[in-house]
Amino acid sequence: MEENTEGKAEKFFKEFGKKMDSFLVEVKDAGTRVEADMKDKYEELKVAAEKFKNEAENKERWKEVEAALKKAGEELNHAIKAAFKKG
């Protein structure tokens, strides 16, 4: 009976060890994937920051945007006044 119990314990620990090995491999793979994803996101952010910097340096472009937004605001103001005008 003692041999049978010892065999069950050995079998349990052997299976447990295999599962732990498999788990550690999965954790390592997940870490590698996360690291790769983070590097990709970092590169995307660098590109976006550079693009934003270039756009911010182009002051004429921002003057156009400002003028267009001002015009749109004025038109919206006129539309609201017309919609709620007592007549």
Side-chain angles (χ1 to χ4, degrees), residues 9-81:
E10 287 175 354
K11 184 177 179 182
F12 169 79
F13 283 113
K14 184 177 179 182
E15 290 298 316
F16 180 75
K18 286 180 182 178
K19 289 179 182 178
M20 283 300 295
D21 289 343
S22 176
F23 175 72
L24 292 174
V25 168
E26 288 179 26
V27 167
K28 184 177 178 185
D29 289 344
T32 302
R33 286 192 305 271
V34 167
E35 182 180 1
D37 288 347
M38 294 302 278
K39 284 181 181 178
D40 289 344
K41 291 295 180 188
Y42 177 71
E43 291 301 319
E44 287 176 20
L45 286 173
K46 279 180 27 180
V47 169
E50 188 64 32
K51 183 177 179 183
F52 181 75
K53 179 183 171 191
N54 291 337
E55 288 290 325
E57 289 175 352
N58 187 353
K59 296 189 190 292
E60 282 301 313
R61 170 102 171 113
W62 286 108
K63 286 181 183 177
E64 290 176 29
V65 170
E66 183 180 3
L69 288 173
K70 186 175 180 181
K71 183 177 178 184
E74 290 170 356
E75 289 179 13
L76 180 61
N77 187 25
H78 291 300
I80 289 172
K81 284 182 181 178

